[in-house]
Protein backbone atom coordinates (compact mmCIF):
# COMPACT_ATOMS: atom_id res chain seq x y z
CA UNK A 1 0.00 0.00 0.00
CA UNK A 2 1.11 3.58 -0.59
CA UNK A 3 2.24 5.71 2.40
CA UNK A 4 -0.94 7.82 2.04
CA UNK A 5 -3.13 4.74 2.49
CA UNK A 6 -5.40 4.81 5.54
CA UNK A 7 -4.27 2.83 8.57
CA UNK A 8 -6.86 0.08 8.25
CA UNK A 9 -5.53 -1.85 11.23
CA UNK A 10 -5.96 1.23 13.45
CA UNK A 11 -9.53 1.70 12.22
CA UNK A 12 -10.37 -1.97 12.71
CA UNK A 13 -9.55 -1.65 16.43
CA UNK A 14 -12.58 0.63 16.85
CA UNK A 15 -16.24 -0.33 16.73
CA UNK A 16 -18.29 1.21 13.94
CA UNK A 17 -20.48 3.48 16.15
CA UNK A 18 -17.30 4.94 17.71
CA UNK A 19 -16.02 5.84 14.24
CA UNK A 20 -19.40 7.32 13.37
CA UNK A 21 -19.10 9.47 16.52
CA UNK A 22 -15.62 10.48 15.41
CA UNK A 23 -16.87 11.34 11.90
CA UNK A 24 -19.36 13.79 13.44
CA UNK A 25 -16.35 15.89 14.45
CA UNK A 26 -15.14 16.15 10.84
CA UNK A 27 -16.66 17.92 7.83
CA UNK A 28 -18.97 14.91 7.41
CA UNK A 29 -20.90 15.95 10.51
CA UNK A 30 -24.04 14.05 11.47
CA UNK A 31 -25.82 14.31 8.12
CA UNK A 32 -22.91 13.66 5.80
CA UNK A 33 -22.50 10.06 6.89
CA UNK A 34 -23.38 7.09 4.71
CA UNK A 35 -24.08 3.67 6.23
CA UNK A 36 -26.21 0.60 5.68
CA UNK A 37 -29.83 0.48 6.71
CA UNK A 38 -31.12 -2.39 8.85
CA UNK A 39 -31.93 -4.66 5.91
CA UNK A 40 -28.65 -6.58 6.20
CA UNK A 41 -26.79 -7.86 9.24
CA UNK A 42 -23.51 -9.47 10.11
CA UNK A 43 -23.66 -13.20 9.52
CA UNK A 44 -20.04 -14.02 10.36
CA UNK A 45 -16.64 -12.65 11.21
CA UNK A 46 -14.98 -9.83 13.12
CA UNK A 47 -14.91 -6.04 12.79
CA UNK A 48 -13.74 -5.18 9.29
CA UNK A 49 -11.96 -2.30 7.61
CA UNK A 50 -10.99 -2.36 3.97
CA UNK A 51 -11.14 -1.00 0.46
CA UNK A 52 -14.26 -1.72 -1.57
CA UNK A 53 -14.15 -4.04 -4.56
CA UNK A 54 -17.56 -4.06 -6.20
CA UNK A 55 -19.60 -6.44 -8.33
CA UNK A 56 -23.17 -7.14 -9.37
CA UNK A 57 -24.91 -10.50 -9.66
CA UNK A 58 -28.18 -12.10 -10.64
CA UNK A 59 -29.54 -15.51 -9.68
CA UNK A 60 -33.29 -15.80 -10.02
CA UNK A 61 -33.45 -16.53 -13.74
CA UNK A 62 -30.86 -17.74 -16.26
CA UNK A 63 -29.10 -15.19 -18.49
CA UNK A 64 -26.19 -14.87 -20.86
CA UNK A 65 -24.69 -11.93 -18.98
CA UNK A 66 -22.07 -13.66 -16.81
CA UNK A 67 -18.58 -12.29 -16.30
CA UNK A 68 -15.78 -14.57 -15.02
CA UNK A 69 -15.21 -14.67 -11.27
CA UNK A 70 -11.54 -14.21 -12.16
CA UNK A 71 -12.36 -10.53 -12.78
CA UNK A 72 -13.37 -10.21 -9.15
CA UNK A 73 -10.23 -12.01 -7.98
CA UNK A 74 -8.09 -9.70 -10.12
CA UNK A 75 -9.82 -6.64 -8.64
CA UNK A 76 -9.26 -7.92 -5.10
CA UNK A 77 -5.56 -8.44 -5.78
CA UNK A 78 -5.27 -4.98 -7.36
CA UNK A 79 -6.26 -3.36 -4.04
CA UNK A 80 -2.94 -4.49 -2.60
CA UNK A 81 -4.36 -4.66 0.94
CA UNK A 82 -7.49 -5.76 2.79
CA UNK A 83 -10.45 -5.61 0.42
CA UNK A 84 -14.14 -5.56 1.25
CA UNK A 85 -16.04 -7.26 -1.56
CA UNK A 86 -19.44 -5.61 -2.10
CA UNK A 87 -21.89 -7.51 -4.29
CA UNK A 88 -25.23 -6.02 -5.29
CA UNK A 89 -27.85 -8.65 -6.11
CA UNK A 90 -29.72 -6.96 -8.97
CA UNK A 91 -32.75 -9.26 -9.01
CA UNK A 92 -36.04 -7.45 -8.32
CA UNK A 93 -36.40 -9.86 -5.42
CA UNK A 94 -32.80 -10.44 -4.30
CA UNK A 95 -31.68 -13.58 -2.49
CA UNK A 96 -32.72 -16.38 -4.83
CA UNK A 97 -29.16 -17.70 -5.01
CA UNK A 98 -25.90 -17.07 -3.18
CA UNK A 99 -22.57 -15.96 -4.58
CA UNK A 100 -20.80 -16.47 -1.27
CA UNK A 101 -20.52 -19.96 0.16
CA UNK A 102 -17.78 -22.32 1.24
CA UNK A 103 -15.98 -22.41 -2.11
CA UNK A 104 -16.10 -18.75 -3.14
CA UNK A 105 -15.46 -17.83 0.49
CA UNK A 106 -12.37 -20.01 0.74
CA UNK A 107 -10.98 -18.49 -2.45
CA UNK A 108 -11.58 -14.95 -1.17
CA UNK A 109 -10.10 -15.87 2.23
CA UNK A 110 -6.99 -17.06 0.40
CA UNK A 111 -6.82 -13.58 -1.17
CA UNK A 112 -6.98 -12.12 2.37
CA UNK A 113 -10.14 -10.07 2.05
CA UNK A 114 -11.37 -8.43 5.25
CA UNK A 115 -15.07 -8.46 4.47
CA UNK A 116 -17.97 -9.27 2.18
CA UNK A 117 -21.18 -7.21 1.96
CA UNK A 118 -24.31 -8.00 -0.05
CA UNK A 119 -28.00 -7.11 -0.18
CA UNK A 120 -28.49 -10.73 -1.24
CA UNK A 121 -28.00 -13.94 0.67
CA UNK A 122 -25.16 -16.32 1.44
CA UNK A 123 -24.93 -20.04 2.15
CA UNK A 124 -22.65 -22.60 3.82
CA UNK A 125 -22.89 -20.30 6.82
CA UNK A 126 -21.07 -22.58 9.33
CA UNK A 127 -18.08 -22.61 6.95
CA UNK A 128 -18.21 -18.83 6.51
CA UNK A 129 -18.03 -18.41 10.28
CA UNK A 130 -14.54 -19.86 10.33
CA UNK A 131 -13.04 -17.90 7.45
CA UNK A 132 -11.73 -14.89 9.33
CA UNK A 133 -13.43 -12.22 7.26
CA UNK A 134 -16.70 -10.41 8.03
CA UNK A 135 -19.87 -11.31 6.14
CA UNK A 136 -22.80 -8.85 6.03
CA UNK A 137 -25.89 -10.09 4.17
CA UNK A 138 -29.68 -10.12 4.16
CA UNK A 139 -29.59 -13.70 5.41
CA UNK A 140 -28.98 -17.25 4.30
CA UNK A 141 -30.40 -19.16 1.37
CA UNK A 142 -30.47 -22.73 0.19
CA UNK A 143 -29.58 -22.64 -3.48
CA UNK A 144 -27.09 -21.45 -6.04
CA UNK A 145 -29.99 -21.01 -8.49
CA UNK A 146 -28.72 -19.23 -11.66
CA UNK A 147 -26.13 -17.21 -9.78
CA UNK A 148 -23.51 -15.41 -11.85
CA UNK A 149 -21.57 -12.18 -11.50
CA UNK A 150 -22.76 -9.70 -14.14
CA UNK A 151 -20.18 -6.91 -13.69
CA UNK A 152 -17.09 -6.13 -11.63
CA UNK A 153 -15.77 -2.69 -10.66
CA UNK A 154 -19.02 -0.77 -11.09
CA UNK A 155 -20.82 1.53 -8.64
CA UNK A 156 -23.28 -0.47 -6.53
CA UNK A 157 -25.99 0.19 -3.97
CA UNK A 158 -26.35 -2.23 -1.07
CA UNK A 159 -28.77 -1.78 1.85
CA UNK A 160 -29.16 1.91 1.04
CA UNK A 161 -25.41 2.52 0.83
CA UNK A 162 -23.83 3.65 -2.44
CA UNK A 163 -20.38 2.11 -2.86
CA UNK A 164 -17.82 2.83 -5.57
CA UNK A 165 -14.66 0.80 -6.12
CA UNK A 166 -11.96 2.14 -3.81
CA UNK A 167 -14.30 3.42 -1.09
CA UNK A 168 -13.15 2.85 2.48
CA UNK A 169 -15.59 0.71 4.45
CA UNK A 170 -15.80 -0.19 8.13
CA UNK A 171 -18.29 -2.57 9.66
CA UNK A 172 -19.26 -4.56 12.72
CA UNK A 173 -22.44 -5.96 14.23
CA UNK A 174 -24.08 -2.53 13.96
CA UNK A 175 -23.71 -2.17 10.19
CA UNK A 176 -21.33 -0.85 7.56
CA UNK A 177 -20.07 2.75 7.44
CA UNK A 178 -18.41 4.47 4.47
CA UNK A 179 -15.49 6.57 5.66
CA UNK A 180 -14.45 9.55 3.50
CA UNK A 181 -10.77 8.97 2.69
CA UNK A 182 -9.79 12.50 3.72
CA UNK A 183 -11.29 11.99 7.18
CA UNK A 184 -9.78 8.56 7.88
CA UNK A 185 -6.38 9.58 9.33
CA UNK A 186 -8.00 11.80 11.99
CA UNK A 187 -10.57 9.28 13.14
CA UNK A 188 -8.69 7.18 15.72
CA UNK A 189 -7.69 10.28 17.72
CA UNK A 190 -11.18 11.77 17.43
CA UNK A 191 -12.73 8.46 18.51
CA UNK A 192 -10.39 8.45 21.51
CA UNK A 193 -11.53 11.96 22.47
CA UNK A 194 -15.23 11.06 22.20
CA UNK A 195 -14.69 7.92 24.23
CA UNK A 196 -12.90 9.83 26.98
CA UNK A 197 -15.79 12.29 27.21
CA UNK A 198 -18.38 9.53 27.25
CA UNK A 199 -16.53 7.53 29.87
CA UNK A 200 -16.56 10.54 32.18
CA UNK A 201 -20.36 10.40 32.16
CA UNK A 202 -20.42 6.62 32.50
CA UNK A 203 -17.96 6.61 35.42
CA UNK A 204 -19.89 9.33 37.20
CA UNK A 205 -23.20 7.45 36.77
CA UNK A 206 -21.60 4.41 38.40
CA UNK A 207 -19.88 6.35 41.20
CA UNK A 208 -20.94 7.21 44.75
CA UNK A 209 -21.13 10.86 43.62
CA UNK A 210 -24.14 10.12 41.46
CA UNK A 211 -27.61 11.10 42.65
CA UNK A 212 -30.76 11.57 40.58
CA UNK A 213 -30.94 15.15 41.88
CA UNK A 214 -27.46 15.95 40.54
CA UNK A 215 -28.36 14.39 37.20
CA UNK A 216 -31.46 16.58 36.86
CA UNK A 217 -29.53 19.65 38.00
CA UNK A 218 -27.09 19.20 35.13
CA UNK A 219 -29.93 19.61 32.56
CA UNK A 220 -28.00 17.44 30.14
CA UNK A 221 -29.04 17.76 26.52
CA UNK A 222 -27.25 14.87 24.85
CA UNK A 223 -26.89 12.02 27.35
O1 LIG B 1 -22.15 -22.30 -5.46
C1 LIG B 1 -21.65 -21.19 -5.27
O2 LIG B 1 -21.04 -20.54 -6.11
C2 LIG B 1 -21.84 -20.57 -3.91
C3 LIG B 1 -21.42 -21.55 -2.88
O3 LIG B 1 -22.24 -22.25 -2.29
C4 LIG B 1 -19.98 -21.74 -2.66
O4 LIG B 1 -19.18 -20.91 -3.10
O5 LIG B 1 -19.64 -22.72 -1.98
MG1 LIG C 1 -21.27 -24.13 -1.50
Amino acid sequence: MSPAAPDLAALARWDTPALSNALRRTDAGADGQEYTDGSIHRVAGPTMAGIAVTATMRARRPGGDAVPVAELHRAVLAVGGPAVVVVQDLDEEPGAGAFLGEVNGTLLAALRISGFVTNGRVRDVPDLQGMGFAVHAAGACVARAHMRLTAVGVPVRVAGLDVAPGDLLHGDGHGVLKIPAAAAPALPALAEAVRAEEQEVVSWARSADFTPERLLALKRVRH
Side-chain angles (χ1 to χ4, degrees), residues 101-103 123-124:
E102 181 194 7
V103 179
R123 60 182 184 153
D124 308 330

Side-chain angles (χ1 to χ4, degrees), residues 102-166:
E102 181 194 7
V103 179
N104 278 321
T106 304
L107 292 171
L108 291 171
L111 299 181
R112 303 274 180 269
I113 68 165
S114 60
F116 182 93
V117 182
T118 183
N119 62 315
R121 294 176 180 265
V122 297
R123 60 182 184 153
D124 308 330
V125 173
D127 300 292
L128 296 178
Q129 277 161 352
M131 287 193 185
F133 63 83
V135 179
H136 295 253
C141 77
V142 169
R144 182 173 214 276
H146 301 284
M147 195 286 301
R148 71 277 182 191
L149 296 183
T150 55
V152 171
V154 293
V156 295
R157 185 171 175 85
V158 166
L161 179 65
D162 290 314
V163 181

